Amino acid sequence: MLKLIKNGKVHAPDYLEQKDILLIGDKIGYIAEQIDEPKNFVDIEVIDASGKLVVPGFIDSHVHILGGGGEGGFKTRTPEIQLTDLTRGGVTTVVGCLGTDGTTRSMAGLLAKARGLEEEGITTFIYTGNYAVPVRTITGNIQDDIIMIDKVIGVGEIAISDHRSAQPTVQEITRIAAEARVGGILSGKAGIVNIHVGSGSRKVDFLLDIAENTEIPIKQFVPTHMNRNQELFEQAIYYAKKGGIVDFTTSSIKKSTDHGEVKSSKALKRMLEEKIDIHQITFTSDGQGSLPEFDENGNYLGLGVGKVISLYQEVRDAVLDEGVAIETAIRVITSNPADLLKLNGKGYIKAQYDADLVLLNQDDLQIDTVIAKGQTMILHGDILVKGTFE
Ligand SMILES: CC(C)C[C@H](NC(=O)C[C@H](N)C(=O)O)C(=O)O
Ligand SMILES: [Zn+2]
Ligand SMILES: [Zn+2]
């Protein structure tokens, strides 16, 4: 199947100005000043991108695709994701994870859901484990999961500094990172440890300790929710200046009880003002994850549900409200997760890369068209492909 995307302003994320892009099957074939349909040739679908920006498909590297939650009892177990929850947010690659509940949500279920979404048209990966330590794997061993199961790219989300964590020791987190790292090395994967950072006073002290006192590189960890309250966000700046990766959660509880969360778009702006390298920053949505609230004694107050749609909304706010350049801001949901998680063929508009693209209206930066693995999922605002049960 051939698709020709004409006249778009391309942010690959580097700005390539106006280019035509020829998609060949599920790959980007050619990018050139001008590509015209030959006469008397096979059928080519032409998409006119005049007045549009063309950017790489978005990567949401922390989504509870199987559903999550449960912190308020069984009725608060959140619903699993549907395909268009992802594609409406421009997401063409997702990394699924489990959270607090590793009993009624299993790794087998997470892998099956990831495979289901892949069959429905997007690219999926998963982290093995959930909040708990020891890590509940598929094969019984972290290294074996990463080496033997294609979709497993690392471990997570492992909870620290949280009243819902397993209260792991630094040694336990070190051992998990060591196993993930070697599993990654032996399989050509990132072997990243996705760390859930709670509201506890120890913040990411564990990770600074490990980076300081072991051979584990600081970039083996991706600590998420680093904008969940002001004091953690201040440490995020310090942690990034030590070379660490910082991930901000774009879904938000409106009235957060944690001394107020820092809106992701504002967090990004502040990090750039602090001269942090953009390549160390990612956004994830925590989609379908629960956003529970607890009082200072850890009593449950209520919960919301994360939304994938917030991922790009926060990037758009960073551009429109905080004055961050689009080719900078877009990196946090395209080339940065692709590079950090070693997602081959993802995150860039380049020949031979996967045909994952999003077209944005030039005037309001709203999502217009979404193409995943060469298939048009949304065209000029119309949803063309829905999930099996949508
Ligand atoms: C960052 C805050 C607002 C949300 C965050 N969500 C999760 O970690 C996922 C959730 N526990 C689940 O298992 O579905 C939290 O609970 O702290
Ligand atoms: Zn979390
Ligand atoms: Zn989560």
Side-chain angles (χ1 to χ4, degrees), residues 246-258:
V246 171
D247 182 63
F248 297 126
T249 299
T250 56
S251 293
S252 72
I253 317 176
K254 284 292 155 273
K255 45 179 183 14
S256 166
T257 52
D258 282 337

Side-chain angles (χ1 to χ4, degrees), residues 256-275:
S256 166
T257 52
D258 282 337
H259 315 300
E261 64 192 359
V262 180
K263 191 174 184 298
S264 296
S265 55
K266 295 185 182 306
L268 177 58
K269 174 71 175 172
R270 173 81 191 282
M271 296 293 266
L272 296 172
E273 286 168 348
E274 293 283 346
K275 305 278 182 277

Side-chain angles (χ1 to χ4, degrees), residues 21-263:
I21 302 170
L22 180 65
L23 307 183
I24 303 172
D26 62 359
K27 296 293 182 201
I28 296 171
Y30 297 91
I31 304 165
E33 292 297 321
Q34 189 172 345
I35 303 172
D36 291 324
E37 287 176 85
K39 299 275 177 287
N40 312 317
F41 194 64
V42 296
D43 180 42
I44 299 181
E45 180 190 346
V46 180
I47 296 176
D48 181 7
S50 304
K52 311 272 188 246
L53 305 185
V54 186
V55 297
F58 302 152
I59 300 170
D60 196 343
S61 52
H62 184 117
V63 179
H64 296 263
I65 57 174
L66 192 58
E71 289 101 333
F74 293 111
K75 69 174 187 290
T76 63
R77 294 170 71 253
T78 63
E80 78 179 57
I81 206 152
Q82 299 301 318
L83 179 70
T84 60
D85 294 326
L86 291 151
T87 53
R88 279 186 297 111
V91 173
T92 53
T93 299
V94 67
V95 183
C97 63
L98 300 181
T100 310
D101 177 2
T103 298
T104 75
R105 311 291 189 180
S106 69
M107 282 309 301
L110 182 68
L111 181 55
K113 180 64 184 179
R115 286 183 173 148
L117 287 166
E118 190 88 38
E119 289 171 4
E120 292 179 314
I122 62 167
T123 303
T124 63
F125 299 97
I126 59 174
Y127 295 119
T128 192
N130 74 306
Y131 269 27
V133 175
V135 175
R136 289 186 170 192
T137 61
I138 295 172
T139 62
N141 173 294
I142 288 172
Q143 271 188 44
D144 296 357
D145 271 23
I146 294 174
I147 295 167
M148 303 306 291
I149 301 169
D150 292 352
K151 284 193 177 296
V152 176
I153 59 165
V155 182
E157 53 174 320
I158 304 293
I160 62 171
S161 305
D162 195 303
H163 64 101
R164 296 163 292 171
S165 82
Q167 302 303 324
T169 62
V170 177
Q171 286 67 30
E172 285 175 311
I173 298 293
T174 304
R175 174 61 53 81
I176 289 167
E179 294 206 16
R181 178 173 177 76
V182 174
I185 287 169
L186 293 174
S187 60
K189 296 177 183 174
I192 284 289
V193 182
N194 184 266
I195 293 278
H196 160 104
V197 188
S199 308
S201 58
R202 290 174 289 177
K203 299 190 282 287
V204 291
D205 296 352
F206 275 32
L207 309 186
L208 290 163
D209 182 339
I210 294 168
E212 186 75 27
N213 301 309
T214 74
E215 291 75 18
I216 303 283
I218 194 167
K219 285 189 168 67
Q220 203 70 37
F221 298 103
V222 175
T224 187
H225 314 321
M226 293 296 275
N227 56 322
R228 69 183 303 143
N229 61 54
Q230 196 60 46
E231 50 269 41
L232 182 57
F233 177 63
E234 291 305 325
Q235 194 188 42
I237 295 167
Y238 175 79
Y239 182 76
K241 286 179 175 172
K242 289 281 187 181
I245 307 302
V246 171
D247 182 63
F248 297 126
T249 299
T250 56
S251 293
S252 72
I253 317 176
K254 284 292 155 273
K255 45 179 183 14
S256 166
T257 52
D258 282 337
H259 315 300
E261 64 192 359
V262 180
K263 191 174 184 298

Side-chain angles (χ1 to χ4, degrees), residues 263 265-266 269 313-324:
K263 191 174 184 298
S265 55
K266 295 185 182 306
K269 174 71 175 172
Q313 274 171 351
E314 284 301 319
V315 169
R316 181 170 173 273
D317 287 354
V319 176
L320 297 181
D321 303 342
E322 305 301 327
V324 180

